[in-house]
Amino acid sequence: MERTIFSIMDEEKAGRQAIGAIGYRHDSGSYHDSLLHDFEFLILVVHHGLENSELQIEHCMSGDIHYQLLHVDSHAIEKWVTAGDNRELVQYFLHGDVIWDVDGKLKAFRSYINAFGDSLKERRKFKEFAKFLKVYVEAKRYTSEHDLLDAYYSVLQALKHYARLELIDQGILPESSVWEQVRHLNSVVYKLFDELTDSKETLEQRIQLVLLACEFSLTSKMADCCSLLLRILGSRKEPWSVQELMKLPELALVKDELPLVLRKLVYRSLAKESIKSQRDGSGEGREIRYRV
């Protein structure tokens, strides 16, 4: 890393809330995505308590070098890791060079993310499981309607979530190159990926085979992957309504998939229904609530 380019970073330039900066240099001739454009260098300035929590972008020059300066809050990085979002930026954060650090705070925060501790792991696992379940159900529906191309796409997405779950179980933080990560594990999901994409069977046969394996995986992983939700369901005596659960910040990342997950937990006898009578303008209704 060329220090002359990144030596510009200090508190005055980055802002007083910054805890440090990470520099990342792309290989010469490598593909630059729409975020990086033609910038060879990227500087990621990490803040604690950034007033505007959204990613802030600046385009700058140092001599004749163009570089991109990104300001991001540490809570946003943690959220990306939990949600699996902005994988390229997470990769830059994890693998770039620390070029400026305030009292070791940046290195400590990166060590925390790299450790991929139980709290981060549990939230990320539940999120990937919920997405896995959703696209699996979509693939089953497309297959029943003989819409095989859409079914194939959904199955491929399901395998990606499955792959991330395997990595998480190994204590590995999933990154953007998930198939390269699982290829070295000699994993079941990589064999299924091969079966789906490179087999002499018909497309429908390949899809059906992978769906069967996905169904088994979903069933066997459900209790472990849904531990966060099951703990919430058991955290009070009164059963939870789906509306109450969807408002919880811990479940915000799976808000769209939560109703489906709840029904599957009930179907597998991991959660129970509780009926509550209620009155509205049209008469008496019966609301389904959930508990363990």
Side-chain angles (χ1 to χ4, degrees):
M1 189 68 69
E2 295 183 25
R3 306 292 294 185
T4 55
I5 294 173
F6 298 110
S7 61
I8 63 169
M9 293 311 306
D10 55 27
E11 184 176 317
E12 182 180 355
K13 292 287 186 181
R16 293 186 178 182
Q17 295 171 317
I19 61 171
I22 288 173
Y24 192 91
R25 178 175 186 169
H26 280 261
D27 295 332
S28 179
S30 65
Y31 171 73
H32 293 176
D33 64 19
S34 58
L35 174 66
L36 292 172
H37 302 291
D38 61 345
F39 294 101
E40 184 180 359
F41 295 96
L42 178 144
I43 299 178
L44 190 65
V45 182
V46 182
H47 301 254
H48 272 340
L50 191 63
E51 290 183 6
N52 185 352
S53 59
E54 295 183 0
L55 183 68
Q56 300 174 31
I57 302 175
E58 297 179 42
H59 290 172
C60 310
M61 286 188 67
S62 178
D64 59 350
I65 299 296
H66 293 68
Y67 66 94
Q68 187 155 230
L69 188 64
L70 307 178
H71 295 266
V72 63
D73 190 78
S74 58
H75 292 296
I77 294 175
E78 185 171 345
K79 183 178 179 181
W80 295 344
V81 170
T82 304
D85 295 335
N86 288 325
R87 296 186 185 94
E88 288 80 9
L89 288 181
V90 171
Q91 182 174 326
Y92 305 149
F93 170 75
L94 293 175
H95 302 298
D97 292 341
V98 175
I99 57 174
W100 176 59
D101 199 355
V102 177
D103 300 327
K105 292 179 181 179
L106 180 58
K107 288 182 179 178
F109 177 63
R110 188 159 75 166
S111 295
Y112 161 72
I113 296 296
N114 262 316
F116 200 37
D118 291 342
S119 176
L120 284 175
K121 189 182 297 184
E122 183 181 52
R123 284 179 281 161
R124 179 67 184 272
K125 184 182 287 189
F126 183 44
K127 183 261 184 183
E128 293 296 345
F129 179 85
K131 299 291 186 182
F132 182 17
L133 177 60
K134 179 182 179 181
V135 289
Y136 162 79
V137 171
E138 288 177 351
K140 291 279 286 186
R141 177 170 61 84
Y142 286 134
T143 304
S144 70
E145 295 170 353
H146 301 287
D147 188 353
L148 296 182
L149 290 180
D150 281 334
Y152 177 85
Y153 175 78
S154 293
V155 169
L156 191 58
Q157 295 306 305
L159 286 180
K160 268 198 161 183
H161 293 297
Y162 186 172
R164 293 183 188 122
L165 286 173
E166 284 207 353
L167 290 169
I168 293 168
D169 283 337
Q170 295 289 327
I172 301 170
L173 177 62
E175 297 185 15
S176 54
S177 54
V178 63
W179 293 119
E180 281 300 306
Q181 287 183 286
V182 296
R183 185 169 63 88
H184 302 294
L185 299 179
N186 191 29
S187 66
V188 172
V189 70
Y190 195 80
K191 294 174 183 177
L192 290 172
F193 175 72
D194 268 347
E195 183 68 31
L196 180 66
T197 58
D198 187 21
S199 172
K200 294 180 180 179
E201 304 289 343
T202 66
L203 180 59
E204 185 172 8
Q205 288 173 329
R206 282 180 276 156
I207 290 171
Q208 292 285 9
L209 176 65
V210 175
L211 282 175
L212 187 63
C214 286
E215 183 176 3
F216 175 79
S217 177
L218 283 165
T219 302
S220 61
K221 292 177 181 292
M222 188 172 293
D224 177 51
C225 291
C226 296
S227 60
L228 173 62
L229 176 57
L230 292 172
R231 189 169 61 253
I232 290 172
L233 291 177
S235 65
R236 71 183 195 187
K237 292 183 179 180
E238 183 183 352
W240 294 79
S241 70
V242 65
Q243 293 90 350
E244 289 176 318
L245 292 168
M246 291 174 73
K247 291 178 182 177
L248 294 178
E250 305 97 301
L251 303 178
L253 293 175
V254 294
K255 182 178 179 180
D256 293 339
E257 297 80 19
L258 190 57
L260 174 62
V261 175
L262 284 168
R263 300 310 303 159
K264 288 297 181 182
L265 287 173
V266 171
Y267 180 74
R268 295 295 177 184
S269 300
L270 293 170
K272 299 176 183 178
E273 290 181 352
S274 179
I275 307 300
K276 181 180 179 180
S277 296
Q278 57 182 12
R279 289 188 175 275
D280 55 29
S282 59
E284 185 175 330
R286 304 178 71 200
E287 181 186 31
I288 298 175
R289 296 196 167 208
Y290 299 93
R291 58 187 176 85
V292 292

